[in-house]
Amino acid sequence: MHPITDALPATLCYLDGEYTALRDAKISVLDRGFIFGDGIYEVVPVYGGQPFCFEEHMARLDRSLAELQITNPLSLAQWRDIVMRLIAPGGNAPQAVYFQITRGVAPRDHAMIKGLTPTVFVMVNPLPPVSDAVRAKGVACVTADDFRWQKAHIKSTSLLGAVLSRQISVEAGAADTVMFRGDSLSEASSSNVWIVKDGVLIGPPKDNLVLTGIRYGLLERLCLEGGIPFALRRVSRDEVFGADELILSSASKEVLPVVTLDGKTIGNGHPGPIYKSLYAAYQQAKQRNAEKQGATA
């Protein structure tokens, strides 16, 4: 056995109506998620014992399921009950709740078989924060052509494209791989990508070529509160390399400054003022959410 599989955790997970130790959870080899990647997933960060942007994540889960013609098997209240039970042992430590729903078990056939019972899986992992030292210095990224499919807006479990693109940055010793479709910025392997130019936060438009992260809406709100101009439009390769700031966003990274790209300095080579403002506002939003949800629990 591999040492990683030998050390699988015994933490509680949810699988098809049952709570069991994660290391003991099993699915059929004919599950369409295993055979085809025919399913969707979602990741919700948890701070102070409360899920962050929970309704927004669940709305995206609904959208992804609808694209695959899978009926959401649970109500919003049922999803929340599962989350709260699983995160309880972790107390106030930052955690990430992973949801996966597949079409279910059936004989192997590419067609979308009707009437299957979806496989529902939920687990919780620690969410280690990016260190203060890394945030103060910023990170390096590399670029690659976006070789994935044309339905990037679906948060699909078919993540081989993301695996391959992430490996590019791993082998380069970089934090992530920033991808372009032709001359236009799309996203990174596991993050959305933003540029700052003349004080404006700019990101690619919401369409089928980008997985619209929950941080899209969150950053727009934080920009509105902080008086930072916000725009969504096509962003060229030259604009990325000529940006004053380059920022990654995701559930695990929150917002993270990129100071070099393909070895070339971005801006002045240091985390910029828009990043710093957004990061501070992000922490305040987390605190407000924990206090609000804790008060109503």
Side-chain angles (χ1 to χ4, degrees):
M1 295 288 286
H2 191 284
I4 290 179
T5 55
D6 287 343
L8 287 174
T11 51
L12 202 64
C13 72
Y14 175 94
L15 179 61
D16 293 338
E18 302 289 337
Y19 292 90
T20 187
L22 182 59
R23 65 173 57 153
D24 297 328
K26 302 289 190 299
I27 64 167
S28 168
V29 294
L30 289 177
D31 189 281
R32 287 179 61 95
F34 175 71
I35 295 290
F36 296 119
D38 184 6
I40 65 95
Y41 75 103
E42 192 60 56
V43 180
V44 178
V46 176
Y47 305 106
Q50 298 295 330
F52 185 59
C53 295
F54 181 72
E55 287 77 12
E56 292 91 334
H57 279 281
M58 292 297 99
R60 185 172 64 180
L61 180 145
D62 273 336
R63 293 194 297 271
S64 293
L65 286 172
E67 288 280 355
L68 269 62
Q69 301 178 36
I70 298 174
T71 300
N72 192 332
L74 298 174
S75 68
L76 182 64
Q78 288 173 316
W79 284 120
R80 184 179 285 277
D81 287 344
I82 293 169
V83 169
M84 298 311 294
R85 176 164 178 179
L86 292 179
I87 68 177
N92 289 332
Q95 301 172 76
V97 184
Y98 176 89
F99 304 77
Q100 180 167 305
I101 305 167
T102 75
R103 197 174 306 278
V105 178
R108 188 180 186 280
D109 185 341
H110 285 75
M112 292 182 177
I113 301 169
K114 303 295 185 182
L116 299 182
T117 300
T119 298
V120 180
F121 171 64
V122 187
M123 66 176 176
V124 175
N125 289 317
L127 185 61
V130 177
S131 71
D132 291 342
V134 169
R135 290 194 175 281
K137 184 179 179 181
V139 300
C141 287
V142 293
T143 67
D145 291 332
D146 194 340
F147 44 75
R148 303 166 306 157
W149 66 333
Q150 298 293 309
K151 290 185 177 289
H153 64 297
I154 302 173
K155 201 167 176 69
S156 166
T157 57
S158 304
L159 285 172
L160 185 57
V163 169
L164 292 171
S165 60
R166 177 68 181 100
Q167 189 62 23
I168 292 170
S169 54
V170 168
E171 293 175 0
D176 211 337
T177 305
V178 174
M179 294 182 288
F180 294 86
R181 292 182 186 264
D183 186 54
S184 294
L185 173 68
S186 56
E187 57 193 342
S189 65
S190 58
S191 316
N192 288 123
V193 185
W194 307 84
I195 69 166
V196 176
K197 192 65 178 179
D198 298 328
V200 182
L201 183 71
I202 306 168
K206 299 177 182 179
D207 60 19
N208 62 298
L209 301 179
V210 172
L211 176 63
T212 304
I214 300 305
R215 264 106 310 255
Y216 259 68
L218 176 60
L219 291 183
E220 184 173 11
R221 293 196 299 274
L222 297 181
C223 283
L224 181 62
E225 293 171 5
I228 299 170
F230 177 92
L232 298 180
R233 61 169 175 78
R234 296 288 176 212
V235 179
S236 72
R237 189 183 298 263
D238 286 345
E239 286 182 293
V240 172
F241 280 94
D244 299 326
E245 300 180 44
L246 184 60
I247 299 171
L248 304 177
S249 69
S250 71
S252 58
K253 296 179 180 71
E254 300 182 359
V255 287
L256 187 64
V258 178
V259 295
T260 67
L261 187 63
D262 288 345
K264 299 176 181 177
T265 300
I266 299 296
N268 64 6
H270 300 282
I274 299 299
Y275 159 72
K276 293 176 182 177
S277 294
L278 290 174
Y279 179 67
Y282 200 114
Q283 305 318 300
Q284 293 171 2
K286 287 161 52 180
Q287 182 65 30
R288 289 196 304 266
N289 177 78
E291 292 172 352
K292 178 182 178 181
Q293 298 301 323
T296 58

